[in-house]
Amino acid sequence: MIGFLRSAFSTTLFRPFTGQSAVRTVEAARGMKVRSSVKLMCDGCNFVRRRGRLFVVCKSDPKHKQRQG
């Protein structure tokens, strides 16, 4: 649980050899759904074919991202 919270928020790293601290922002990256059958979920969803695969990208809700495979 602690590791999840630590990765979801920004963290501060300490560089021991230089004595400097580097601030790195870690964003919680939401993956995409991988399905055998992709469907449009709302009006903002569109089919896109990239690298021989069928994707669904959505401008209104990023949770609707899907990949067929």
Side-chain angles (χ1 to χ4, degrees), residues 2 11 13 16 21 24 33 37 40 43 45-47 54 62 67:
I2 298 298
T11 59
L13 301 176
S21 64
R24 180 180 68 155
K33 298 175 185 74
S37 176
L40 300 178
D43 293 334
C45 293
N46 293 315
F47 286 117
L54 189 63
R67 175 178 69 102

PDB file of all heavy atoms in Angstrom, residues 2 11 13 16 21 24 33 37 40 43 45-47 54 62 67:
ATOM      1  N   ILE A   2       1.908   1.244   0.804  1.00  0.00           N
ATOM      2  CA  ILE A   2       2.778   2.418   0.878  1.00  0.00           C
ATOM      3  C   ILE A   2       3.492   2.624  -0.448  1.00  0.00           C
ATOM      4  O   ILE A   2       3.642   3.737  -0.920  1.00  0.00           O
ATOM      5  CB  ILE A   2       3.791   2.271   2.023  1.00  0.00           C
ATOM      6  CG1 ILE A   2       3.067   2.181   3.367  1.00  0.00           C
ATOM      7  CG2 ILE A   2       4.781   3.411   2.037  1.00  0.00           C
ATOM      8  CD1 ILE A   2       2.255   3.398   3.728  1.00  0.00           C
ATOM      9  N   THR A  11       7.846  12.262  -5.853  1.00  0.00           N
ATOM     10  CA  THR A  11       8.834  11.790  -4.893  1.00  0.00           C
ATOM     11  C   THR A  11      10.094  12.614  -5.011  1.00  0.00           C
ATOM     12  O   THR A  11      10.370  13.220  -6.036  1.00  0.00           O
ATOM     13  CB  THR A  11       9.179  10.312  -5.144  1.00  0.00           C
ATOM     14  OG1 THR A  11       9.688  10.201  -6.460  1.00  0.00           O
ATOM     15  CG2 THR A  11       7.980   9.422  -4.983  1.00  0.00           C
ATOM     16  N   LEU A  13      14.195  12.362  -4.761  1.00  0.00           N
ATOM     17  CA  LEU A  13      15.312  11.432  -4.764  1.00  0.00           C
ATOM     18  C   LEU A  13      16.560  12.147  -4.269  1.00  0.00           C
ATOM     19  O   LEU A  13      16.761  13.323  -4.523  1.00  0.00           O
ATOM     20  CB  LEU A  13      15.558  10.904  -6.180  1.00  0.00           C
ATOM     21  CG  LEU A  13      14.391  10.180  -6.833  1.00  0.00           C
ATOM     22  CD1 LEU A  13      14.751   9.811  -8.253  1.00  0.00           C
ATOM     23  CD2 LEU A  13      14.034   8.947  -6.044  1.00  0.00           C
ATOM     24  N   PRO A  16      23.472  10.406  -3.583  1.00  0.00           N
ATOM     25  CA  PRO A  16      24.472  10.360  -2.505  1.00  0.00           C
ATOM     26  C   PRO A  16      25.854  10.851  -2.923  1.00  0.00           C
ATOM     27  O   PRO A  16      26.579  11.385  -2.101  1.00  0.00           O
ATOM     28  CB  PRO A  16      24.515   8.878  -2.138  1.00  0.00           C
ATOM     29  CG  PRO A  16      24.006   8.173  -3.332  1.00  0.00           C
ATOM     30  CD  PRO A  16      23.046   9.107  -4.003  1.00  0.00           C
ATOM     31  N   SER A  21      19.796  16.978  -4.188  1.00  0.00           N
ATOM     32  CA  SER A  21      18.525  16.263  -4.274  1.00  0.00           C
ATOM     33  C   SER A  21      17.864  16.625  -5.596  1.00  0.00           C
ATOM     34  O   SER A  21      17.870  17.774  -6.017  1.00  0.00           O
ATOM     35  CB  SER A  21      17.611  16.622  -3.108  1.00  0.00           C
ATOM     36  OG  SER A  21      17.276  17.980  -3.171  1.00  0.00           O
ATOM     37  N   ARG A  24      11.734  14.546  -8.768  1.00  0.00           N
ATOM     38  CA  ARG A  24      11.182  13.872  -9.936  1.00  0.00           C
ATOM     39  C   ARG A  24       9.699  13.671  -9.697  1.00  0.00           C
ATOM     40  O   ARG A  24       9.291  13.145  -8.664  1.00  0.00           O
ATOM     41  CB  ARG A  24      11.858  12.523 -10.142  1.00  0.00           C
ATOM     42  CG  ARG A  24      11.339  11.770 -11.341  1.00  0.00           C
ATOM     43  CD  ARG A  24      12.053  10.467 -11.481  1.00  0.00           C
ATOM     44  NE  ARG A  24      11.691   9.593 -10.369  1.00  0.00           N
ATOM     45  CZ  ARG A  24      11.743   8.285 -10.419  1.00  0.00           C
ATOM     46  NH1 ARG A  24      12.152   7.689 -11.501  1.00  0.00           N
ATOM     47  NH2 ARG A  24      11.407   7.563  -9.376  1.00  0.00           N
ATOM     48  N   LYS A  33      -6.949  -0.849 -21.645  1.00  0.00           N
ATOM     49  CA  LYS A  33      -7.569  -2.162 -21.596  1.00  0.00           C
ATOM     50  C   LYS A  33      -7.162  -2.947 -22.829  1.00  0.00           C
ATOM     51  O   LYS A  33      -7.193  -2.432 -23.935  1.00  0.00           O
ATOM     52  CB  LYS A  33      -9.086  -2.009 -21.552  1.00  0.00           C
ATOM     53  CG  LYS A  33      -9.586  -1.268 -20.339  1.00  0.00           C
ATOM     54  CD  LYS A  33     -11.080  -1.067 -20.445  1.00  0.00           C
ATOM     55  CE  LYS A  33     -11.594  -0.227 -19.332  1.00  0.00           C
ATOM     56  NZ  LYS A  33     -11.266   1.169 -19.478  1.00  0.00           N
ATOM     57  N   SER A  37     -12.217  -7.921 -28.207  1.00  0.00           N
ATOM     58  CA  SER A  37     -13.236  -7.179 -28.955  1.00  0.00           C
ATOM     59  C   SER A  37     -13.329  -5.774 -28.376  1.00  0.00           C
ATOM     60  O   SER A  37     -13.770  -5.596 -27.234  1.00  0.00           O
ATOM     61  CB  SER A  37     -14.579  -7.899 -28.830  1.00  0.00           C
ATOM     62  OG  SER A  37     -15.589  -7.151 -29.457  1.00  0.00           O
ATOM     63  N   LEU A  40     -16.738   1.047 -28.962  1.00  0.00           N
ATOM     64  CA  LEU A  40     -16.824   2.474 -28.642  1.00  0.00           C
ATOM     65  C   LEU A  40     -17.724   2.630 -27.427  1.00  0.00           C
ATOM     66  O   LEU A  40     -18.832   2.107 -27.396  1.00  0.00           O
ATOM     67  CB  LEU A  40     -17.378   3.257 -29.834  1.00  0.00           C
ATOM     68  CG  LEU A  40     -16.561   3.178 -31.123  1.00  0.00           C
ATOM     69  CD1 LEU A  40     -17.257   3.969 -32.220  1.00  0.00           C
ATOM     70  CD2 LEU A  40     -15.168   3.696 -30.908  1.00  0.00           C
ATOM     71  N   ASP A  43     -19.387   9.045 -27.246  1.00  0.00           N
ATOM     72  CA  ASP A  43     -19.303   9.808 -28.498  1.00  0.00           C
ATOM     73  C   ASP A  43     -17.883  10.306 -28.772  1.00  0.00           C
ATOM     74  O   ASP A  43     -17.550  10.616 -29.912  1.00  0.00           O
ATOM     75  CB  ASP A  43     -20.257  11.000 -28.460  1.00  0.00           C
ATOM     76  CG  ASP A  43     -21.713  10.567 -28.457  1.00  0.00           C
ATOM     77  OD1 ASP A  43     -21.982   9.453 -28.960  1.00  0.00           O
ATOM     78  OD2 ASP A  43     -22.555  11.326 -27.958  1.00  0.00           O
ATOM     79  N   CYS A  45     -15.113   8.530 -28.380  1.00  0.00           N
ATOM     80  CA  CYS A  45     -14.227   7.415 -28.723  1.00  0.00           C
ATOM     81  C   CYS A  45     -14.089   7.286 -30.239  1.00  0.00           C
ATOM     82  O   CYS A  45     -15.060   7.463 -30.973  1.00  0.00           O
ATOM     83  CB  CYS A  45     -14.777   6.109 -28.166  1.00  0.00           C
ATOM     84  SG  CYS A  45     -14.784   6.017 -26.375  1.00  0.00           S
ATOM     85  N   ASN A  46     -12.868   6.961 -30.689  1.00  0.00           N
ATOM     86  CA  ASN A  46     -12.596   6.760 -32.115  1.00  0.00           C
ATOM     87  C   ASN A  46     -11.710   5.541 -32.293  1.00  0.00           C
ATOM     88  O   ASN A  46     -10.853   5.254 -31.467  1.00  0.00           O
ATOM     89  CB  ASN A  46     -11.863   7.972 -32.707  1.00  0.00           C
ATOM     90  CG  ASN A  46     -12.732   9.201 -32.735  1.00  0.00           C
ATOM     91  OD1 ASN A  46     -13.884   9.150 -33.108  1.00  0.00           O
ATOM     92  ND2 ASN A  46     -12.165  10.313 -32.311  1.00  0.00           N
ATOM     93  N   PHE A  47     -11.905   4.837 -33.415  1.00  0.00           N
ATOM     94  CA  PHE A  47     -11.035   3.728 -33.781  1.00  0.00           C
ATOM     95  C   PHE A  47      -9.804   4.283 -34.483  1.00  0.00           C
ATOM     96  O   PHE A  47      -9.902   5.159 -35.336  1.00  0.00           O
ATOM     97  CB  PHE A  47     -11.738   2.757 -34.733  1.00  0.00           C
ATOM     98  CG  PHE A  47     -12.772   1.904 -34.062  1.00  0.00           C
ATOM     99  CD1 PHE A  47     -14.100   2.002 -34.424  1.00  0.00           C
ATOM    100  CD2 PHE A  47     -12.418   0.991 -33.086  1.00  0.00           C
ATOM    101  CE1 PHE A  47     -15.058   1.208 -33.829  1.00  0.00           C
ATOM    102  CE2 PHE A  47     -13.368   0.192 -32.482  1.00  0.00           C
ATOM    103  CZ  PHE A  47     -14.693   0.297 -32.855  1.00  0.00           C
ATOM    104  N   LEU A  54      -5.640  -2.559 -33.676  1.00  0.00           N
ATOM    105  CA  LEU A  54      -6.783  -1.664 -33.596  1.00  0.00           C
ATOM    106  C   LEU A  54      -6.852  -1.086 -32.192  1.00  0.00           C
ATOM    107  O   LEU A  54      -6.845  -1.823 -31.197  1.00  0.00           O
ATOM    108  CB  LEU A  54      -8.062  -2.420 -33.919  1.00  0.00           C
ATOM    109  CG  LEU A  54      -9.314  -1.588 -34.074  1.00  0.00           C
ATOM    110  CD1 LEU A  54      -9.172  -0.632 -35.259  1.00  0.00           C
ATOM    111  CD2 LEU A  54     -10.520  -2.478 -34.280  1.00  0.00           C
ATOM    112  N   PRO A  62     -10.129   9.391 -20.626  1.00  0.00           N
ATOM    113  CA  PRO A  62      -8.958   8.553 -20.890  1.00  0.00           C
ATOM    114  C   PRO A  62      -9.134   7.106 -20.433  1.00  0.00           C
ATOM    115  O   PRO A  62      -8.385   6.236 -20.836  1.00  0.00           O
ATOM    116  CB  PRO A  62      -7.839   9.228 -20.120  1.00  0.00           C
ATOM    117  CG  PRO A  62      -8.370  10.476 -19.564  1.00  0.00           C
ATOM    118  CD  PRO A  62      -9.835  10.514 -19.761  1.00  0.00           C
ATOM    119  N   ARG A  67      -7.068  -1.547 -26.532  1.00  0.00           N
ATOM    120  CA  ARG A  67      -6.244  -2.112 -27.616  1.00  0.00           C
ATOM    121  C   ARG A  67      -6.750  -3.511 -27.889  1.00  0.00           C
ATOM    122  O   ARG A  67      -7.031  -4.283 -26.961  1.00  0.00           O
ATOM    123  CB  ARG A  67      -4.787  -2.180 -27.185  1.00  0.00           C
ATOM    124  CG  ARG A  67      -3.890  -2.859 -28.194  1.00  0.00           C
ATOM    125  CD  ARG A  67      -2.462  -2.850 -27.738  1.00  0.00           C
ATOM    126  NE  ARG A  67      -2.231  -3.703 -26.589  1.00  0.00           N
ATOM    127  CZ  ARG A  67      -1.670  -4.909 -26.641  1.00  0.00           C
ATOM    128  NH1 ARG A  67      -1.262  -5.395 -27.783  1.00  0.00           N
ATOM    129  NH2 ARG A  67      -1.486  -5.623 -25.553  1.00  0.00           N
TER     130      ARG A  67
END
